[in-house]
Structure formats: C-alpha cells, structure tokens
Amino acid sequence: MPVLNEKVPVVIVQILTVLLSTQNDDGSWMPVHRVDTTAYATANLLDVIDLPYIQNLKIEIQCAIAKACAALALKQDKASTLDPTLDKEINSDSSGTLEILSYALQMLSLTNDTNHSVKSLGDDTVEAFTRQNRTIRKHIEYFSSLDHLRRIPHTRLKSAIIEANLYRPFLQCQRIGVFPASNAEERHEYLEYLPIMWLLATASYNVFAPPEFLVDMMTFSTRVFLADEYVKSKVAGLAQHEVFALRKHIEDSFEVDQMRGSRKGEQASEESRKMPSTSDRLLEVISVFTTFVEAVTNHPRVVRASRTDQSDLRFELKGFILRRLYQLEDNARLRGQDQQPRQQHIHQSTESSTPQMPFSMWVHQSGSGDSGCHLFWAFFTCILGGSLRNGQNCLPTLKQRLMAHTMITHHSAFYRLCKEHGSRHHDMDRANPSCVDFPEIPGNVDDKGVASPDSKLAEAEAKLKLLDAARFERQSASNTAELLYQELEAEAEVWGDMLADRIRVFVGAGEQFSDMYLIRDVMSSVK
C-alpha cells in the first residue's frame, strides 16, 4: 500500500485533471464567473506547473493559465463577486467543491515540496524524470492514435497515462515478494501496460478511483499474471508424479467444510514437507503457491469481507491454480504430436487431440475459465465488500449476484475471444489449446481433416468470425452491466453509486486489455 508521500503525486494528477477538464471556454471556472475562484485556481496551477512528473501536461496547464488570465483581465473592472444578487451562486455546492479541490492541490504541492521544482532536483533525478517523460510521451502518442480511445478527451487520456506511470515503481517492488524473478520479456511489457489499462478504464468512464483501490487491483493483476508465468516456466518442468502431488496439495489446502469458509487441511504444506518422496523442487513450488494464496486471502480488505465473498474467492483461486495444472497435461499431449503439422491431428478421434466439446461451449467453460476473469471478480467483490460495504456481502441480493455472474461470464468470453484473435498466429506454432483446435472455426481443417486451399483468405475469415463473436459477448456483458448499475444506483446509500463506479472501472479495465489483444499480442510466451 503506498504511504502518504507516494499517494501525493497521484492525487495531485487527479485534482489537476479535474481543474483542466472543468475550465469554461472563456477561461473561468463555475457556471457564474467568480474572480476569486478563477484567481485561486490559476494560482494553484502556477504552483504545480514545474512538478517533474506532470511535464507532459505543461502545455495544457499553460493554456489554462493563459485563458484564465484573459478571463480575469475582462473582469478586472467588474465586482461580480460583491454583487449581492450572486449570493446563491457563490455559496453553491459546485463552487465549494472547486475551492476545496484548489485548496487540496495547494496543500498537496506543499506536502510534495521535495520534488516541487525540476530546478531543485539533482542531475540524476532530473535525468530519471526526463527518461520517464519521454516514455510517457511515446505512450500518449500511441494510445491517442487508437480508434477505440478517441472518445476520451485528450487531456484526460494524457492525465491517465501520467498517473499510471506513478504506480509502476510500486508494482515492480510488489512482484518480487511472491514469485521468483524470470527473464521473460513479456513480463516487462505486460507490467508496463498494466497500470495504463486500469487508468484508461477510469478515463473511459470518467471515474476517479482512489489510489488504494487501483493499487489493490493492479497488484492482484500482476500476481495473477506472474502465477500463470510461473506455471509455464517452473511447474512445467516437474515430473508427472510431482504435478499430481502438487495438485493433491492444492486440493487439500482449499478443502472447506459444509459451513463454507472454515479451512481443513491446514497442515497440508507441513505434511508435504515430511513426505520422503517429495523433491526439493516440488517443495519450492509448494512454498511459492502457499505464499501466493496467503498474499491473496490475507489481504487486509479481503479479511474484512463477508464469509460468503471470501468463500467465493477461495473457490475461484483454487480453480485458477488447478486449471493451470490441468492445462500442463493438455499442452504435453499436444507437444507429443509435433512430428506432424498440428492441423492434421484435429480430425482424429483420439482423446489427446480431439476437442471434447463444441467451441461455443469451450469458450464459456474451459476457455473463459483460463482467463481468470471470475477470479478477478471474486477478489474485487472482497475488496469492496470489506471497505464500502463494511464487511457485508458486496452484492447483497440474489438478483445482483446473478446479474454479476452473467456479466462476468460474457465478459470473460469476450476477453478470451479477443485473446484468440490476437494470439492465433502464435497458437498455430505452440502447444496451447485454443481456437485453432476446433474444426468449426474457419481457417482450421474441416471435419474430414482437409485444410483450406487459400490459407490467407481462411485466416482472415477466421479472425472476422472471432471478432464478430467477441462483439456479441461484449454487448451482452454491457447490457447486463447496465442493469446492475441501475440496481446499485437505486440504493438509498451513497455506497451504491460508488460501487457502480468501481464496477465500471473493473469492466473498463477488462475491455482495455481485450482491445489490446486485437491490436498486439502481449500474452506470455514462456515455455
């Protein structure tokens, strides 16, 4: 969890974004131009303009200051703030909100005084910020060019990317505590994009999420990614009997009684260490997964969640790990067929090469289950149930929980289809169960094992079909999400509105990751 001085830059960027986004065309703020409010906001913009981590917004800040100065010049001979007819507007809630934001920005900039000006920093620090700002500019140029992000105002998008950059050092420290380091290039690319995806989600729905929530979700996203990577790079090297022993340990560790939530098999890890046949490498893997599970289930806000939400999280966490272990067996069977082109095996009737269900069913079961979306949702509900709901169920009614389950089911299918679209060319060359194994997908072999004579045309057709199906799943998820938002926003307490906004950010982050798969494949290729 970031301490105060680590949160300050994040909050400064968020408040600055509000000020830049709410300025009127004439340079003033608020529906009725008040000289003191505009002057106060302008003074605070001048106070933060030299902060090193917002240099990519300097032009926008300078323009805002120039417009505000022009507005103040036009008002210099008018005493609008002294007009008694404006008392109602002067005391309006919106005016007070802006003044509070301006005051907060001033106080935060003073709190952050050690990094106040680029000129006051050492040469090494200035160079570090210069490198970071160059990277931020590249990200701004790239994401601004994407069609699906054009609806986000440019200043809002820039602010989101700047804020995302502030989370990266914290995430880099967090990832070391659970999983050992590896040399996977995709890890660095994924961790570079992860904060941006979450902040673009806030920008796309115009929601400002607190740093604690974003750090929780980013950290969990990082650990899930690293868990998947660890299975592929380390667990895949275990012998078959060791994988079986690991699977048995995971099942015992997550055993629960009929009351849901009370653990059994708490000595499973210790007993596994006493087994004379347990190898050192298996003990190492067990230790890593034990640390992973404890980091998730012992999170302070997870511990404060309801018994039901915690039980759902443990159920999804167990399924996530076991699915990875089962997938190792599927990958091994496919690798055993490398002597012949992969597509030639699809029509065979052997269990090791023939899909056991139709593609549509696979997407909603095995395929979407591997995406981890249900696990993310279970963690999300624990985090918010333990904070916004004060330990009660995050979604208190059966109807809301059914809505959420339907939404996540469609959302995970959408994510999986986008991933299939983006990584299809990789999966053709790898031993990964995917859409290339199903004869009903255009571009694969037909049910007689005959490939298309025009492979490029067939490949293009396959991607169009996957994209069309993904759009259907996305729309289905969005329709259900809107119904859920309405249910929550109808609650008497303000927590319903806040929870609806957090869910919008959650859904938006998934959409951003899915959309990126349509553009570039950032999945791990660790073998």
Side-chain angles (χ1 to χ4, degrees):
M1 184 63 57
V3 295
L4 176 61
N5 62 341
E6 293 174 328
K7 297 179 186 177
V8 166
V10 172
V11 180
I12 286 180
V13 171
Q14 290 187 353
I15 295 177
L16 181 60
T17 303
V18 174
L19 291 178
L20 294 176
S21 302
T22 57
Q23 187 179 28
N24 298 326
D25 292 338
D26 65 358
S28 65
W29 278 269
M30 312 313 303
V32 177
H33 182 187
R34 290 181 54 191
V35 173
D36 56 345
T37 300
T38 300
Y40 196 36
T42 305
N44 282 286
L45 290 176
L46 287 166
D47 195 44
V48 301
I49 194 171
D50 286 329
L51 290 174
Y53 47 82
I54 61 172
Q55 292 306 293
N56 282 292
L57 279 175
K58 193 166 187 175
I59 294 177
E60 282 79 5
I61 298 173
Q62 290 173 334
C63 290
I65 292 172
K67 290 169 62 178
C69 289
L72 291 171
L74 291 175
K75 284 284 188 179
Q76 64 181 344
D77 296 327
K78 300 180 181 180
S80 61
T81 58
L82 302 179
D83 188 342
T85 63
L86 297 179
D87 284 345
K88 183 177 181 180
E89 287 82 356
I90 290 175
N91 294 317
S92 66
D93 291 339
S94 56
S95 178
T97 299
L98 181 63
E99 291 183 353
I100 290 172
L101 288 174
S102 296
Y103 179 76
L105 186 61
Q106 183 184 48
M107 293 300 99
L108 287 168
S109 65
L110 293 175
T111 304
N112 202 42
D113 190 59
T114 54
N115 287 337
H116 182 268
S117 173
V118 174
K119 297 178 182 178
S120 67
L121 300 175
D123 292 340
D124 293 341
T125 306
V126 171
E127 177 59 27
F129 276 117
T130 301
R131 289 195 302 271
Q132 290 179 14
N133 288 327
R134 282 198 296 264
T135 300
I136 291 172
R137 282 195 295 273
K138 291 180 181 178
H139 284 151
I140 291 172
E141 292 174 3
Y142 175 71
F143 286 101
S144 298
S145 67
L146 302 181
D147 290 337
H148 69 282
L149 297 178
R150 292 190 185 279
R151 64 187 179 89
I152 302 177
H154 189 62
T155 299
R156 187 74 169 90
L157 185 143
K158 290 180 69 173
S159 299
I161 295 176
I162 291 170
E163 183 180 345
N165 186 69
L166 298 173
Y167 289 100
R168 288 181 59 196
F170 181 77
L171 292 179
Q172 290 171 349
C173 295
Q174 285 293 300
R175 74 188 191 195
I176 301 174
V178 177
F179 294 97
S182 74
N183 297 321
E185 294 181 1
E186 287 81 3
R187 156 187 282 201
H188 305 294
E189 185 175 11
Y190 180 86
L191 296 179
E192 181 178 357
Y193 281 110
L194 188 148
I196 297 177
M197 297 297 100
W198 279 98
L199 269 299
L200 288 177
T202 66
S204 63
Y205 285 97
N206 198 27
V207 174
F208 289 92
E212 289 88 350
F213 167 74
L214 291 173
V215 167
D216 284 342
M217 297 309 299
M218 290 179 192
T219 301
F220 187 67
S221 300
T222 301
R223 287 173 175 170
V224 169
F225 170 77
L226 295 179
D228 193 42
E229 179 187 90
Y230 184 75
V231 170
K232 296 175 182 177
S233 61
K234 183 69 176 181
V235 183
L238 297 178
Q240 185 175 359
H241 72 278
E242 291 176 316
V243 174
F244 178 82
L246 174 61
R247 188 193 311 156
K248 182 66 168 58
H249 166 77
I250 297 298
E251 291 172 346
D252 291 342
S253 298
F254 280 95
E255 185 179 357
V256 296
D257 63 14
Q258 294 179 350
M259 296 300 293
R260 300 188 70 197
S262 61
R263 302 184 193 180
K264 291 183 180 179
E266 293 181 351
Q267 293 81 25
S269 180
E270 184 64 27
E271 289 176 357
S272 67
R273 285 171 165 77
K274 295 178 181 179
M275 294 172 57
S277 60
T278 304
S279 64
D280 290 340
R281 63 178 183 177
L282 178 56
L283 289 176
E284 178 186 347
V285 171
I286 289 175
S287 176
V288 169
F289 276 114
T290 300
T291 304
F292 170 56
V293 171
E294 290 177 349
V296 174
T297 57
N298 293 337
H299 186 286
R301 273 178 285 283
V302 170
V303 172
R304 293 200 298 267
S306 71
R307 192 184 190 96
T308 299
D309 287 345
Q310 288 190 57
S311 180
D312 290 346
L313 175 59
R314 290 180 60 79
F315 175 81
E316 294 296 343
L317 190 57
K318 172 185 176 181
F320 173 83
I321 297 174
L322 291 179
R323 275 191 292 268
R324 265 57 188 171
L325 300 182
Y326 286 125
Q327 189 176 24
L328 290 179
E329 299 178 359
D330 294 337
N331 292 351
R333 286 197 296 267
L334 288 172
R335 279 195 298 269
Q337 303 170 25
D338 285 345
Q339 289 78 10
Q340 303 178 50
R342 180 174 183 178
Q343 294 283 355
Q344 293 182 12
H345 296 278
I346 298 177
H347 70 285
Q348 297 176 2
S349 59
T350 60
E351 182 180 354
S352 63
S353 58
T354 302
Q356 301 299 298
M357 63 184 74
F359 179 71
S360 57
M361 186 180 297
W362 178 83
V363 167
H364 275 274
Q365 294 184 13
S366 301
S368 61
D370 291 341
S371 69
C373 290
H374 287 277
L375 173 59
F376 277 106
W377 177 256
F379 180 78
F380 171 87
T381 55
C382 279
I383 289 295
L384 296 186
S387 54
L388 294 183
R389 296 292 196 188
N390 295 318
Q392 300 299 313
N393 288 344
C394 181
L395 299 177
T397 71
L398 175 61
K399 181 180 179 182
Q400 290 174 355
R401 297 178 76 86
L402 288 173
M403 284 180 172
H405 178 77
T406 302
M407 177 188 73
I408 295 302
T409 298
H410 286 297
H411 189 72
S412 58
F414 163 63
Y415 175 85
R416 183 68 199 210
L417 288 166
C418 290
K419 187 174 181 180
E420 293 294 327
H421 180 284
S423 62
R424 182 176 168 84
H425 63 290
H426 288 290
D427 291 331
M428 293 291 291
D429 300 325
R430 300 176 184 168
N432 294 339
S434 66
C435 69
V436 301
D437 297 301
F438 292 84
E440 62 259 47
I441 301 297
N444 301 342
V445 297
D446 58 24
D447 56 0
K448 296 180 180 179
V450 179
S452 170
D454 190 340
S455 58
K456 291 184 178 180
L457 181 61
E459 181 67 13
E461 183 183 359
K463 289 202 167 190
L464 285 175
K465 294 293 185 182
L466 289 171
L467 184 58
D468 190 42
R471 287 170 176 162
F472 165 76
E473 294 291 350
R474 182 174 191 166
Q475 187 60 52
S476 299
S478 298
N479 292 342
T480 308
E482 285 300 325
L483 296 175
L484 181 58
Y485 301 150
Q486 293 172 18
E487 282 278 318
L488 294 170
E489 290 167 349
E491 293 184 6
E493 292 83 5
V494 69
W495 309 122
D497 290 332
M498 296 177 67
L499 182 55
D501 278 344
R502 299 289 192 279
I503 295 176
R504 287 185 176 97
V505 175
F506 177 91
V507 171
E511 290 173 346
Q512 295 301 326
F513 277 107
S514 300
D515 286 335
M516 284 304 297
Y517 272 116
L518 300 178
I519 299 168
R520 58 191 303 178
D521 180 19
V522 294
M523 66 176 291
S524 173
S525 63
V526 180
K527 297 183 179 180

